[in-house]
Amino acid sequence: MLCIRDLNVVKSNQSICQVGQLDMVHGDRVAVVGNNGCGKTTLLRVISGLECEFDGRCQIEVAQTERVYLHQFPYLFRGTALFNAA
């Protein structure tokens, strides 16, 4: 379902996320842990499809419409819960 090889995300000439290899299949659970600024959020943004500028390979066998990324500080808009979820 997920295959990452030699992932490198560079911003402002600085590498902010590097993953040599990560493989996951249906049912796997993975914890992404590390110090502040080590690239955890960037990795999740790559997997969710929000981060598209990177070197390496990120192959995901799940449709873009089936992936969800929820930021640790989500924003809410005026309106109902249904409106915000949409």
Side-chain angles (χ1 to χ4, degrees), residues 17-30:
C17 179
Q18 292 180 325
V19 177
Q21 178 177 339
L22 175 62
D23 295 301
M24 292 179 63
V25 296
H26 182 73
D28 281 353
R29 303 287 190 262
V30 174

Side-chain angles (χ1 to χ4, degrees), residues 3-84:
C3 176
I4 292 178
R5 295 287 185 274
D6 301 318
L7 177 72
N8 188 29
V9 181
V10 177
K11 300 286 182 182
S12 301
N13 294 324
Q14 183 176 358
S15 179
I16 61 171
C17 179
Q18 292 180 325
V19 177
Q21 178 177 339
L22 175 62
D23 295 301
M24 292 179 63
V25 296
H26 182 73
D28 281 353
R29 303 287 190 262
V30 174
V32 181
V33 296
N35 295 329
N36 288 345
C38 72
K40 300 178 300 288
T41 300
T42 302
L43 173 61
L44 295 176
R45 289 177 52 83
V46 168
I47 292 171
S48 69
L50 296 174
E51 187 71 51
C52 299
E53 295 184 24
F54 57 85
D55 295 321
R57 187 176 85 189
C58 179
Q59 181 179 359
I60 303 172
E61 295 178 10
V62 176
Q64 182 74 31
T65 57
E66 297 294 317
R67 298 182 227 165
V68 175
Y69 171 81
L70 179 63
H71 194 272
Q72 60 186 340
F73 299 109
Y75 295 100
L76 294 176
F77 301 103
R78 284 196 166 151
T80 65
L82 178 61
F83 174 79
N84 274 276

